[in-house]
Amino acid sequence: MHLTFESGDPTQAPTDALVVLVGTGSESPVWSVPAEDVDTSLSGGLKTLALDARFSGKTGTTLVVPTLGQAVSRRVVLAGVGPVAPLPATAVTRAAGAAARAARDAGARHVAFALPDPDWGIDSASALGAAAIGVSLGLYQFTAYRGAAAPASADGREVETIRFVSPGLDDASAARSLRRAGAVSRAVNFARDLGNEPASILTPEEFAARARSTAESFGLEIEVLGPPELAEIGAAATLAVGGGSVNGPRLIRLRYQPDTNTGDSRVPGLVGKAITFDTGGYSIKPYEGMLDMKGDMSGGAAVLGAMSALRDLECQTPVVATICAAENMISGTAFRPGDVLRGMNGVTMEILSTDAEGRLVLADGLVDTARRGATELIDLATLTGAAVVALGDGTTALFASEDRLADRLLSSAEEVGERMWRMPLIDELEQKIEGDVADIKNTGGRAGGAITAALFLKHFTERLPWAHLDIAGSARQQKASAIGPKGSTGVGVRTLLTYLTA
Ligand code: BES
Ligand code: MN
Ligand code: ZN
């Protein structure tokens, strides 16, 4: 899909579908100037149809209207953006995604998109960036395994070009917005691809191979540790979790070094859980619990996705990252309940459930990242079903050792429209994970399960400021949204990129 910008009057663009924005007002919808202009060409017919359809202008709603030769564009797509005083960038992103999906469903190949009116309280460059991200995420499809009947896409319908049109934006600013939006969307869609890939293909070794080519393409240093090297550094937990699979574990170390050194002494350290398949091990999962477990590497995918865009976005700080890749399977070499493991920092862990494996690989990943010079740690993991029970689908649970870090992550998430809610690290619950034969045990029971998982991780954060994002409820969606289809969402990438580059 090709995205371009041109200045001019959007209603004069000959195209399959013209997207025009409509906001919500106190009594009736707020029509943008291009929407009014198309309505005039249609002798008021557009507003009549919108009224009939009860089109309200709510964010993410759309109405496709054929123009039957009465306007320059073959169709007009009304796209709701909600309240417009001022118009938030996240609403533009959602509206653009929904409109692009509606245009594609209607069969449009070439789309023109009228950017928001200048008096709607968002500058044109930001609006362009937000809209470009919306369409790129909204039109994403995972087509790698589609059969010969529809090779390119799910059903052969595909948008080929999108021209963003606005009367007032200079070409240089527009190009910069499109470039940045392209880097961000590519990173998110890359993370989605990893999350959608079957576990038979995306083994820990294959994850490392993809990290290698990513590092090569986007200017990152990389080092991959396999079982022998993991034994050398004492990563016993990773070896235990990955020990049941013929596809051995990998610890993937990445480093981004900015071109210009700003003298900033901060080195954020990212850590991602990448269980390429989670059967639960001997504490085996039931049928329903195992269905989406190819997506249990989504934390690692978000980390790799974010790392891949840092150079394009000219991130000013160095960033280190660790992806803990392993497959949690059953065999004669698998670990068992009752086993005791020694962490890289000496903390011993008693296994109660082999299904609480994410915190074990993260224990190694956190300590390793701290030792590589990180000054703060942020981990992302599809860690607990309890986080989904607590917050429902679509919301990331945030735990943080410091308010400052928590607040910056929350505002980054809000800025890009990724829903995130802070949860408490309740000290009193620490007793639930006190070990019988070892220092700590790897589950604290059902009550407060997301919190006790976070408290477990805290033992491996080496006193650094630390945040933990439990993305169990947000890494996948069960039905399509404005910004993507059912399946892997790539959640975390945009929050991290905003946090790291703002
Ligand atoms: N990968 C799962 C958590 C998960 C559940 C992710 C649902 C996405 C959707 C994790 O490894 C796990 O199995 N957690 C257990 C922990 C329990 C055994 C303490 C859980 O949440 O049940
Ligand atoms: Mn598990
Ligand atoms: Zn898991």
Side-chain angles (χ1 to χ4, degrees), residues 273 275 278-281 283 285 293 296 328 353-358 382-383:
K273 168 180 173 180
I275 297 299
D278 184 10
T279 66
S283 311
K285 288 182 180 298
M293 283 303 128
D296 209 19
N328 191 16
S353 170
T354 60
D355 197 13
E357 83 299 336
T382 47
L383 202 67

Side-chain angles (χ1 to χ4, degrees), residues 206-220:
E206 175 63 16
F207 203 120
R210 293 190 191 193
R212 270 216 174 85
S213 63
T214 300
E216 204 164 293
S217 304
F218 299 106
L220 306 169

Side-chain angles (χ1 to χ4, degrees), residues 4-30:
T4 54
F5 169 80
E6 64 199 49
S7 59
D9 177 358
T11 63
Q12 297 312 306
T15 185
D16 295 335
L18 169 66
V19 179
V20 294
L21 304 179
V22 179
T24 51
S26 49
E27 272 132 51
S28 53
V30 180

Side-chain angles (χ1 to χ4, degrees), residues 276-302:
T276 58
F277 196 77
D278 184 10
T279 66
Y282 277 101
S283 311
I284 193 167
K285 288 182 180 298
Y287 168 82
E288 308 82 43
M290 219 183 285
L291 281 177
D292 277 340
M293 283 303 128
K294 70 172 183 178
D296 209 19
M297 31 49 67
S298 298

